[in-house]
Amino acid sequence: QVQLVESGGGLVQAGGSLRLSCAASGSIFSINSMRAMGYYRQAPGKQRELVAVITNGGSTNYADSVKGRFTISRDNAKNTVYLQMNSLKPEDTAVYYCNAHNNYGMDYWGKGTLVTVSA
């Protein structure tokens, strides 16, 4: 059974920073075995969207709206993926979800962590 647990969300003022963590666990689960790990977000009344992704080769990709402000990274030894979010804006307010995508096209999701950015 694969478990992804997000943490680090909260309330922050515009211009502030937060760091999200996604801790992965499971009897044989390793983030290094996943094709990609990523963060998605869903704002009220909107569809879930990709925020950032990091492949098992270390390549990264970001949504245009967060480029230059967010950084995704991984610590394979800790089986954890991080999302450093700087210069936060009110429009970044959303529930942020961790995702693991394996080589067989399967996706695993965390339950999400709420990020609220006040103006």
Side-chain angles (χ1 to χ4, degrees), residues 40-63:
Y40 289 69
R41 68 186 180 187
Q42 188 167 17
K46 294 188 176 182
Q47 289 187 331
R48 191 173 296 189
E49 62 176 358
L50 174 68
V51 176
V53 64
I54 184 166
T55 69
N56 57 5
S59 299
T60 58
N61 194 31
Y62 298 91

Side-chain angles (χ1 to χ4, degrees), residues 4-24:
L4 302 174
V5 179
E6 303 95 337
S7 61
L11 174 64
V12 64
Q13 288 188 331
S17 297
L18 284 174
R19 188 176 82 154
L20 304 184
S21 298
C22 170

Side-chain angles (χ1 to χ4, degrees), residues 10 13 22 24 26 32 34 36 57 62-63 81 87 90 95 97 100 102 106-107 110:
Q13 288 188 331
C22 170
N32 200 38
M34 294 291 109
Y62 298 91
V81 180
S87 303
V95 177
Y97 298 91
N102 71 11
M106 287 185 63
D107 285 293

